[in-house]
Amino acid sequence: MLQEQTQNWTKEYLKDNEMFYPAEYVVRMFKGNYPRLNLKKEADGYMGKSICDIGFGDGRHLALFKSLGFDRIAGTEISQDVVDKVKKSLEHVASLDLRVGINNNLGFEDGAFDFLLSWNVCYYLDDKMDFKTHVEEYARVLKKDGILVFSIPCKDCFVYNNGIEKDGFMTIVDDWFGLRNGSIQKVFQDEEDIRNTFGTHFKDFTFGRIDDDCFGLAYKWFIGYCRKK
């Protein structure tokens, strides 16, 4: 199944699409100032800091991070073809460190980053079906007190329409985009479930929520951040 997912996503990202804009709530979280959120202030600024975008896709967030002042900007994707395309399309963004990697094997050194971004990514599983290895790997490449920024679909998100849930996992059967069918993802019941699952290696959880009817698609996500213990 992992090989099939790799082929599907590689084909999608190799399409000759125009560059997408950064996800709205990634911009909000890194640049905004809210009652429970001011990442720039909490991190004492971004200048000279390092960040890894796990599953960077078409590279939509990488130039944003450069503009924010991050010194080391890295990322992973599931195939070399996608890595090569994004490197070429972002030649104007200096010193990008883009590599092939998946959630449980990111391919970077221990304690490499001040920030990890896992936007719509962490819950994708490989054939081993072992989510705790994702948590361990995320913690491994973060510095102590490093910040993990994440988004995770709620159970009533459109991604899970008609999905088959069993023992905390969801088999996708009715994906609107036709890319995920047959894949199995870790599904979370609520914020407490996320906190408990990641809490083996992370602390200081702060949550927000996206709840949007996007012209018939239920965009419902847990969003937030936490720190490595």
Side-chain angles (χ1 to χ4, degrees), residues 104-122:
N104 60 10
N105 186 10
L106 296 176
F108 290 97
E109 64 272 21
D110 294 356
F113 301 108
D114 299 291
F115 283 83
L116 288 183
L117 175 67
S118 178
W119 203 255
N120 301 348
V121 173
C122 73

Side-chain angles (χ1 to χ4, degrees), residues 95-107:
S95 303
L96 294 179
D97 185 359
L98 307 182
R99 307 182 186 183
V100 175
I102 57 176
N103 282 312
N104 60 10
N105 186 10
L106 296 176

Side-chain angles (χ1 to χ4, degrees), residues 34-212:
Y34 301 96
R36 300 197 312 275
L37 170 68
N38 188 332
L39 278 181
K40 186 174 183 179
K41 182 177 180 180
E42 290 182 36
D44 193 26
Y46 301 133
M47 296 296 295
K49 301 292 177 62
S50 54
I51 187 168
C52 181
D53 186 354
I54 302 170
F56 58 75
D58 52 30
R60 65 182 63 190
H61 301 128
L62 302 176
L64 168 68
F65 296 143
K66 190 71 174 180
S67 73
L68 291 174
F70 283 98
D71 181 58
R72 181 185 183 187
I73 303 168
T76 65
E77 257 304 336
I78 57 176
S79 76
Q80 190 64 48
D81 287 338
V82 177
V83 169
D84 292 343
K85 179 181 179 180
V86 172
K87 280 183 177 179
K88 183 176 180 180
S89 67
L90 292 177
E91 288 178 332
H92 61 288
V93 181
S95 303
L96 294 179
D97 185 359
L98 307 182
R99 307 182 186 183
V100 175
I102 57 176
N103 282 312
N104 60 10
N105 186 10
L106 296 176
F108 290 97
E109 64 272 21
D110 294 356
F113 301 108
D114 299 291
F115 283 83
L116 288 183
L117 175 67
S118 178
W119 203 255
N120 301 348
V121 173
C122 73
Y123 44 89
Y124 284 90
L125 294 158
D126 67 7
D127 296 333
K128 295 179 182 178
M129 299 286 292
D130 186 3
F131 188 80
K132 67 180 175 56
T133 61
H134 298 197
V135 179
E136 293 167 354
E137 182 71 349
Y138 282 19
R140 183 187 68 78
V141 300
L142 269 174
K143 299 176 182 179
K144 189 178 186 305
D145 290 320
I147 296 174
L148 168 63
V149 179
F150 59 83
S151 68
I152 296 172
C154 303
K155 281 187 64 177
D156 51 353
C157 181
F158 78 94
V159 172
Y160 295 147
N161 284 350
N162 302 314
I164 302 170
E165 183 180 1
K166 183 179 180 181
D167 299 330
F169 300 98
M170 186 78 76
T171 301
I172 309 302
V173 298
D174 191 18
D175 179 35
W176 174 257
F177 300 109
L179 294 169
R180 305 177 181 90
N181 288 331
S183 67
I184 302 176
Q185 302 181 4
K186 173 66 177 171
V187 64
F188 292 90
Q189 307 300 315
D190 50 31
E191 293 175 3
E192 190 64 21
D193 192 9
I194 296 172
R195 186 181 286 107
N196 289 338
T197 302
F198 282 85
T200 55
H201 292 76
F202 291 89
K203 62 182 181 180
D204 301 337
F205 290 79
T206 299
F207 288 98
R209 187 77 65 90
I210 301 173
D211 190 349
D212 181 20

